[in-house]
Amino acid sequence: MVEKSELLRVPAFADLPDDQIAWFLSQSQELHVKAGDIYARQGDPAGTMTVILDGQIEARGELGGETVVISMKPGDVTGVLPFSRMKQFPVTGRAVTDSRLLRFPAALFPDLVQKMPELVERLVALMADRIRETTRMEQQRDRLASLGKLSAGLAHELNNPASAAQRATSQLREILKKIRDASHELGRRDLTPTQKSEIEKLEASLTRLDGPPPDALTVSDLEDRIDSMLRSHGQNDLWQLSAGLARRNVKPEALEPLFDSLDADAARAALVRIASSVEVADLLNAIENSTSRISDLVKAIKDYTYMDQARVQNVDIAKSLETTLIILNHKLKRGVIVRRDYHADPLLVNSFGSELNQVWTNIIDNAIDAMGGNGELRVRTYRDNGCAVVEIGDNGPGMSPEIKSHIFEPFFTTKGVGEGTGLGLDTVQRIVKKHRGNIQVTSKPGDTRFQVWLPLAEAPA
């Protein structure tokens, strides 16, 4: 039998009157649980509040697609608490050691409120603490999940130009050997200064060719013409050079002077060196473009996180949106067309910049998911009564009125298990309110719009 002194040692019951303790004990049931035994199973109706008197209990289960393990010790109160909306046990409770529990039926909570109001107040505070802790853990998990998705996308975006630069450098080694061998061959020839000068001029002119690359049809035609010209001069095995020269938009007429002023072997060596030099120029351009792309992505990451910048500053809303679109490019390029309509003048908002980027990321990411990765994303900014307004819309299927009424509630999600925590738009709303702003949503099939109002930096608070 449970003694009053045992229950008074439980923090929630400390200092309560003896008559209240006695009543609580008279309505409760003592339960002995052997080590390894289950005292509550996930999914079973939750009808009791449980006080742990002795032993150690472990609660384990799947929440939001992840395994959760909670350890409980003597003095802890678990199960259903007054005013809780729990209908089923969310996890399975198992005794780690031989344990002794005290169970109070939830059906008697109305009587508990009347007879032990101070206990109820403590239990409500305990429940509030648990909700805050659960929310904090879920928010942390949501941030980590979002960071994981962004990191995976950025890794892919960075890998493409890095791989291109690596391929180009590998090809450079082979081409430089061709240039060296061709230069040695030309060095063995008794060329006049005029002949050497003509080779160098032609090489310099072809490697400096600028302008947009020719289209595929033009390249194919040039390749055939260059190959025909080479064959007409007895060079039947240099067809592999034709493709590289054609991609550089080299006309066959530009190569004719080589065969007019040089013998066949010297012209061949000069042509190999020139074609290789042209290919080197292309590869250097590829490396430059790839490294520039990597540099742009790194800059976007720094801008997105506001690395090395003041935590609070005046943020250009359009630039903030553009940075976010760069970060999410790996999802956008699969089939989403972005329509931009930015206010002509910069709209500055005094804000925690990285938090605003989190707002845009959540809204845009949801829009992409709603469209199934294919559709039109509309991003618009304008000024309205001292506020910067950001409107992000999509042409997805829209939301029903019932779903729309719950989208800003914590833990509400329409995604499958493990795909979303339901904290994205709750986080969005909290960040917007933190910036003294407001957020609204309108939705119908083919037109869903989120509108965020934020006070302009120059407007009075």
Side-chain angles (χ1 to χ4, degrees):
M1 181 178 178
V2 181
E3 300 292 335
K4 292 180 184 179
S5 59
E6 292 182 88
L7 195 56
L8 287 170
R9 286 196 294 269
V10 175
F13 292 83
D15 303 325
L16 292 180
D18 287 348
D19 60 329
Q20 293 184 16
I21 295 294
W23 177 82
F24 187 89
L25 289 173
S26 68
Q27 305 300 320
S28 301
Q29 177 188 7
E30 185 179 5
L31 181 66
H32 292 266
V33 185
K34 294 290 186 182
D37 287 351
I38 293 175
Y39 78 91
R41 195 176 298 276
Q42 185 175 10
D44 286 351
T48 58
M49 177 173 68
T50 302
V51 181
I52 302 173
L53 300 174
D54 293 306
Q56 185 177 354
I57 299 295
E58 182 181 88
R60 181 187 294 265
E62 294 287 330
L63 291 178
E66 290 192 2
T67 300
V68 176
V69 180
I70 304 170
S71 295
M72 291 170 284
K73 60 186 184 303
D76 287 343
V77 181
T78 184
V80 188
L81 299 181
F83 306 111
S84 169
R85 290 183 293 181
M86 183 193 299
K87 301 299 181 185
Q88 296 177 324
F89 287 117
V91 292
T92 295
R94 184 189 303 271
V96 178
T97 65
D98 289 350
S99 304
R100 195 160 56 99
L101 313 176
L102 188 65
R103 281 184 160 178
F104 183 87
L108 294 179
F109 280 165
D111 295 335
L112 186 71
V113 171
Q114 294 295 323
K115 295 181 180 294
M116 304 181 71
E118 188 173 351
L119 172 63
V120 171
E121 184 177 335
R122 295 176 184 178
L123 293 175
V124 169
L126 176 64
M127 182 170 62
D129 289 342
R130 288 180 182 173
I131 291 173
R132 278 193 293 270
E133 178 63 17
T134 301
T135 302
R136 186 194 66 78
M137 293 172 60
E138 289 288 347
Q139 288 171 346
Q140 178 68 11
R141 189 164 66 86
D142 189 61
R143 282 194 290 268
L144 289 173
S146 298
L147 180 62
K149 288 194 291 185
L150 288 178
S151 298
L154 286 171
H156 179 73
E157 289 289 294
L158 286 167
N159 183 65
N160 286 340
S163 298
Q166 187 177 30
R167 287 193 300 271
T169 53
S170 297
Q171 292 171 356
L172 273 175
R173 291 189 180 91
E174 299 176 7
I175 296 170
L176 290 175
K177 183 180 181 301
K178 290 181 181 179
I179 292 176
R180 185 178 66 247
D181 294 344
S183 297
H184 287 166
E185 178 64 24
L186 287 172
R188 288 196 293 267
R189 301 286 172 181
D190 188 18
L191 300 180
T192 67
T194 301
Q195 289 174 323
K196 292 178 181 179
S197 177
E198 289 300 321
I199 293 172
E200 291 171 358
K201 285 181 181 179
L202 180 59
E203 184 176 25
S205 66
L206 295 183
T207 54
R208 282 200 308 266
L209 285 175
D210 293 322
D215 57 69
L217 189 60
T218 301
V219 169
S220 178
D221 178 61
L222 279 174
E223 187 175 346
D224 290 341
R225 288 170 56 196
I226 292 172
D227 185 54
S228 297
M229 184 272 295
L230 293 176
R231 290 179 183 277
S232 69
H233 290 287
Q235 306 294 338
N236 298 325
D237 59 344
L238 292 183
W239 56 267
Q240 69 270 24
L241 300 181
S242 303
L245 292 168
R247 285 195 300 271
R248 194 72 174 173
N249 206 19
V250 175
K251 305 296 190 295
E253 303 83 49
L255 305 175
E256 285 286 2
L258 290 176
F259 297 97
D260 294 340
S261 59
L262 301 172
D263 61 60
D265 291 337
R268 178 187 179 89
L271 184 62
V272 169
R273 195 179 88 170
I274 290 171
S276 298
S277 297
V278 168
E279 195 167 353
V280 166
D282 285 339
L283 291 173
L284 289 176
N285 285 337
I287 292 172
E288 184 178 18
N289 292 335
S290 297
T291 53
S292 295
R293 174 60 178 161
I294 292 172
S295 179
D296 291 341
L297 283 170
V298 171
K299 182 180 181 300
I301 294 168
K302 292 182 69 174
D303 290 343
Y304 184 82
T305 59
Y306 283 75
M307 189 185 302
D308 303 328
Q309 298 184 45
R311 188 162 177 257
V312 180
Q313 59 180 280
N314 288 346
V315 173
D316 185 331
I317 293 298
K319 288 184 178 179
S320 175
L321 286 163
E322 279 301 303
T323 298
T324 303
L325 289 171
I326 291 173
I327 295 295
L328 292 175
N329 184 62
H330 63 283
K331 296 191 70 174
L332 293 168
K333 67 182 182 182
R334 297 172 188 169
V336 176
I337 299 172
V338 181
R339 307 290 186 194
R340 297 167 172 85
D341 182 12
Y342 294 142
H343 192 269
D345 300 318
L347 299 178
L348 302 181
V349 172
N350 190 259
S351 66
F352 300 82
S354 60
E355 291 190 356
L356 281 188
N357 287 340
Q358 190 177 352
V359 170
W360 316 140
T361 300
N362 279 325
I363 296 176
I364 292 173
D365 191 51
N366 282 344
I368 296 171
D369 289 343
M371 294 185 290
N374 289 276
E376 182 178 276
L377 178 74
R378 299 179 296 273
V379 184
R380 178 188 175 208
T381 65
Y382 59 94
R383 184 173 183 150
D384 182 24
N385 291 330
C387 285
V389 184
V390 176
E391 182 178 279
I392 300 173
D394 67 75
N395 63 348
M399 295 178 281
S400 67
E402 182 180 2
I403 290 176
K404 179 187 164 188
S405 65
H406 293 289
I407 58 171
F408 293 112
E409 293 180 4
F411 307 111
F412 177 82
T413 179
T414 58
K415 297 179 181 179
V417 175
E419 296 179 8
T421 62
L423 289 172
L425 291 179
D426 170 61
T427 300
V428 164
Q429 188 175 58
R430 286 188 298 102
I431 293 174
V432 170
K433 288 183 176 179
K434 178 179 177 180
H435 287 79
R436 299 179 292 113
N438 182 36
I439 182 169
Q440 295 181 8
V441 59
T442 60
S443 183
K444 63 182 180 180
D447 186 12
T448 296
R449 303 182 191 185
F450 283 83
Q451 292 177 318
V452 178
W453 278 262
L454 297 167
L456 285 165
E458 65 270 26

